[in-house]
């Protein structure tokens, strides 16, 4: 047991280490991107690509020239001078003009001169998974755009879908790259543009679209499974609405991932701009985190107190209100990482609570825990990715991990629903067996009562019989006296019901089948020494003894010669084991498959007697053995140490 809990603790710790490691390794890679890849970075608004390979993606990060509130290509100016050099990726609200920080919303242009960028194949420049509206121009030619760029704030429309065109870079000394950006809250190029092969970009985009639909279909199916399981839950006390509710929040959060949002923008989100739905995305993320409380209670079996629930609810409400009320420019300057990090308080608190209470964890709890680990990892990765802290294209990470998470929830819920149905079937079988036992005892005691009533009737008439005997004797009418005594003896001679053993349950079963065997003309030979108290439960004893006698009576009754029909029952303690042996005559015909006997009865309800006996005996740590020779079939069931419980109870007393 200690080894098991040590293994559980190790898996829990590995889960939190996986979350930290898997979510931050891409960030570390981005921090050392140029050192690891040797890719150049822009400086003072210029980028030299003479040593870079055009066959792979090139991240256009570094210092760009920045033009606030100007659209260089759409609204050209003569001899336009930049306001300052800006770091890409980054937020322009972190910079000042005339000692004032720039607002979150507005329009601006970014300009970069690229040197030695000749390519043999068509290329394109775009910003993957970017939430603001933008247009990319190379030497004045439009090569990519997303949404609608406008100097009028009300006309700005943002989406995550990008349309890009092929671009041929000739052996010109320098190419001018200009990106016009319009936004209402995200303030600039917080994600780095990339220069990549056009055909490769088109294939990757198509492949990601197909994969997105497949993953979403999987997640949608998992959600419907949760709904169906909830509807079909037959025990109200065991039915929880939190799983389908969490599934709904996860599904909506999947639909709001950056690359996937444009697919639902018109059909589900009423053509709202991507920036306008950002508060909804935060709400769904916070709600998902809070619902982990109920997931842990429902599937892990670790309860949260009312105070804990209220405290965490207040914490997330305050956090969300801060997000709504804090000006976007201030948020972009200081809180783009800090506030999302604070939102993961629930996960850390839940980890320590689960770790401390790991001994209370339900079956399949570790599987659910690791599903949550994957989902949380996806949320952290997505948080870093959409804030430009990861250069690797991880747009599908959150979609993939949340889909796996929903699959795990639906799988565990299905398994537990199946367990409940299996428990119900087992309870139903036990109820049927109990009813059969009651019927046996009722019939046996009815017969016993009939015998007692006959004896009571004879005793009631004894005084009349005595007076008749006395008169016939006094009158010396001996022939009539003999005839009267013969009639009286015949009437009073009622066969007694035998007592087979001290155990009430076993005695009623043996008595019941003794009556049935007598009616069928089958001889019963019993040598049972079953004590009043037995370690074997009454239900198990009823299953073993009842099924064995039923099969024996059925097989023996098939013999044509009544003289050959018999059933022998033997039960006693031998060498620390409680043995039950039932032997019966039969016609010599058997069916066997892989060493197991099959029923020769007709009908779908037959053939499970031996299986039930074997299941019960093996569950008690014993064994069952069957054999036949000549015209006799024998079944033996052995239960180990049947009196151990009784002896332990006596010793403690």
């Amino acid at each position: 047991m200690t080894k098991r809990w040590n293994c559980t603790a190790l898996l829990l710790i590995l889960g939190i280490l996986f979350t930290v490691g898997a979510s931050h390794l891409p960030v570390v890679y981005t921090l050392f991107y140029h050192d690891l890849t040797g890719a150049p970075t822009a400086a003072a608004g210029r980028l030299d690509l003479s040593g870079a390979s055009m066959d792979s993606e090139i991240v256009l990060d570094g210092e760009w020239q920045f033009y606030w509130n100007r659209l260089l290509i759409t609204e050209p100016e003569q001899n336009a001078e930049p306001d300052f050099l800006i770091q890409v990726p980054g937020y322009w609200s972190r910079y000042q003009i005339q000692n004032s920080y720039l607002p979150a919303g507005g329009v601006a242009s970014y300009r970069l001169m690229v040197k030695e960028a000749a390519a043999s194949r068509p290329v394109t420049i775009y910003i993957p998974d970017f939430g603001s509206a933008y247009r990319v121009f190379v030497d004045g030619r439009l090569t990519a755009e997303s949404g609608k760029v406008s100097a009028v704030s009300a006309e700005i429309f943002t989406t995550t879908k990008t349309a890009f065109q092929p671009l041929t870079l000739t052996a010109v000394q320098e190419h001018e790259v200009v990106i016009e950006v319009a936004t209402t809250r995200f303030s600039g190029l917080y994600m780095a543009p990339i220069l990549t092969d056009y055909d490769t970009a088109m294939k990757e985009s198509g492949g990601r679209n197909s994969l997105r639909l497949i993953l979403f279909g999987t997640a949608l199916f998992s959600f419907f499974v949760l709904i169906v399981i909830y509807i079909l839950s037959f025990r109200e006390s065991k039915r929880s609405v939190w799983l389908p509710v969490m599934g709904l929040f996860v599904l909506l959060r999947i639909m709001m991932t950056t690359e996937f949002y444009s697919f639902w923008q018109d059909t589900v989100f009423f053509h709202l701009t991507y920036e306008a739905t950002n508060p909804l995305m935060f709400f769904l993320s916070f709600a998902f985190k809070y619902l982990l409380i109920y997931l842990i209670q429902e599937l892990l079996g670790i309860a949260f107190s009312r105070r804990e629930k209220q405290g965490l609810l207040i914490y997330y409400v305050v956090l969300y209100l801060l997000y709504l009320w804090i000006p976007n420019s201030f948020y972009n300057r200081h809180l783009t990482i800090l506030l999302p990090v604070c939102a993961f308080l629930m996960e850390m608190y839940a980890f320590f609570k689960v770790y401390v209470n790991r001994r209370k964890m339900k079956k399949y709890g570790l599987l659910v825990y690791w599903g949550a680990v994957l989902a949380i990892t996806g949320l952290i990765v997505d948080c870093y990715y959409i804030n430009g802290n990861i250069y690797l294209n991880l747009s599908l990470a959150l979609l993939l991990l949340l889909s796996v998470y929903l699959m795990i929830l639906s799988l565990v819920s299905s398994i537990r629903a199946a367990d409940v149905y299996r428990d119900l079937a087992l309870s139903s079988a036990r109820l049927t067996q109990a009813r059969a036992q009651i019927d046996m005892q009722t019939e046996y005691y009815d017969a016993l009562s009939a015998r007692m009533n006959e004896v009571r009737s004879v005793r009631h008439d004894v005084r009349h019989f005595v007076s008749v005997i006395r008169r016939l004797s006094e009158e010396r009418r001996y022939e009539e006296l003999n005839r009267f005594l013969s009639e009286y003896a015949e009437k009073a001679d009622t066969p007694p019901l035998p007592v087979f053993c001290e155990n009430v349950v076993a005695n009623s079963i043996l008595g019941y089948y003794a009556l049935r065997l007598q009616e069928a003309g089958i001889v019963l030979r019993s040598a049972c020494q079953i004590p009043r108290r037995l370690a074997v439960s009454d239900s198990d004893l009823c299953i073993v003894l009842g099924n064995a006698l039923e099969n024996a009576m059925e097989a023996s009754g098939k013999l044509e010669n009544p003289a050959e029909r018999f059933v022998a029952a033997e039960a006693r303690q031998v060498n620390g084991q409680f043995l039950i042996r039932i032997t019966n005559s039969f016609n010599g015909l058997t069916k066997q498959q892989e060493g197991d006997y099959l029923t020769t009865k007709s009908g779908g309800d037959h053939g499970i007697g031996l299986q039930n006996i074997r299941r019960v005996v093996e569950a008690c740590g014993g064994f069952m053995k069957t054999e036949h020779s000549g015209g006799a079939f024998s079944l033996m069931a052995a239960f180990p140490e049947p009196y151990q419980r009784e002896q332990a109870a006596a010793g403690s007393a």
Side-chain angles (χ1 to χ4, degrees), residues 64-316:
W64 288 56
Q65 294 177 350
F66 181 76
Y67 300 81
W68 170 244
N69 208 23
R70 286 178 284 177
L71 302 175
L72 292 185
I73 304 300
T74 306
E75 301 172 359
E77 299 179 11
Q78 293 291 333
N79 301 320
E81 293 293 329
D83 293 298
F84 50 78
L85 294 175
I86 191 170
Q87 192 69 29
V88 175
Y91 294 90
W92 68 48
S93 54
R94 295 175 179 174
Y95 294 81
Q96 295 179 341
I97 292 181
Q98 297 179 353
N99 296 323
S100 297
Y101 283 105
L102 296 179
V107 296
S109 296
Y110 291 75
R111 182 172 179 268
L112 179 69
M113 300 303 297
V114 180
K115 180 181 178 182
E116 301 293 338
S120 59
R121 294 185 299 179
V123 296
T124 189
I125 298 176
Y126 74 107
I127 312 172
D129 306 309
F130 188 59
S132 301
Y134 73 94
R135 290 191 291 247
V136 180
F137 297 90
V138 178
D139 297 331
R141 178 184 173 185
L142 181 66
T143 186
E145 64 177 332
S146 175
K148 182 179 180 181
V149 177
S150 174
V152 180
S153 177
E155 297 179 359
I156 297 174
F157 182 78
T158 56
T159 181
T160 56
K161 184 178 181 180
T162 300
F164 39 84
Q165 301 294 330
L167 169 70
T168 301
L169 295 179
T170 59
V172 180
Q173 182 67 21
E174 285 187 324
H175 295 280
E176 180 189 51
V177 178
V178 174
I179 301 180
E180 297 178 343
V181 180
T183 178
T184 58
R185 69 180 308 140
F186 291 156
S187 70
L189 295 182
Y190 57 88
M191 299 190 72
I194 62 170
L195 170 64
T196 186
D197 181 80
Y198 174 78
D199 293 333
T200 301
M202 291 295 293
K203 290 179 181 178
E204 288 181 354
S205 178
R208 283 196 297 271
N209 285 334
S210 300
L211 186 56
R212 277 195 298 270
L213 292 177
I214 293 173
L215 291 175
F216 183 75
T218 303
L220 188 62
F221 174 77
S222 301
F223 171 69
F224 280 127
V225 169
L226 293 176
I227 293 292
V228 170
I229 291 175
Y230 173 75
I231 294 174
L232 297 180
S233 297
F234 52 85
R235 293 193 298 181
E236 296 294 335
S237 60
K238 297 294 183 182
R239 187 165 67 173
S240 173
V241 72
W242 295 113
L243 283 179
V245 168
M246 172 169 277
L248 177 63
F249 276 98
V250 172
L251 205 63
L252 290 173
R253 183 62 183 86
I254 286 175
M255 295 168 68
M256 298 195 71
T257 53
T258 49
E259 268 201 48
F260 211 23
Y261 175 75
S262 60
F263 185 84
W264 307 101
Q265 191 166 12
D266 296 331
T267 56
V268 176
F269 296 106
F270 309 105
H271 200 61
L272 290 174
T273 67
Y274 178 74
E275 292 178 332
T277 58
N278 197 250
L280 176 60
M281 184 184 70
F282 266 79
F283 172 77
L284 293 174
S285 299
F286 286 178
F288 166 78
K289 295 171 184 295
Y290 183 72
L291 285 177
L292 283 176
I293 293 175
Y294 299 94
L295 173 77
I296 293 171
Q297 289 192 155
E298 177 70 19
L299 296 183
L300 272 69
I302 299 173
F304 281 72
S305 67
R306 178 179 296 181
R307 180 175 296 180
E308 289 174 316
K309 293 177 184 177
Q310 292 175 347
L312 289 170
L313 177 61
I314 293 173
Y315 176 79
Y316 277 113

Side-chain angles (χ1 to χ4, degrees), residues 508-542:
S508 63
I509 296 172
L510 289 167
Y512 169 78
Y513 280 101
L515 295 174
R516 293 188 60 185
L517 289 168
Q518 184 179 1
E519 294 172 357
I522 302 173
V523 177
L524 173 64
R525 297 194 290 268
S526 176
C528 295
Q529 300 176 8
I530 307 176
R532 185 182 302 274
R533 296 179 62 187
L534 193 65
V536 179
S537 67
D538 291 345
S539 60
D540 290 343
L541 181 62
C542 182

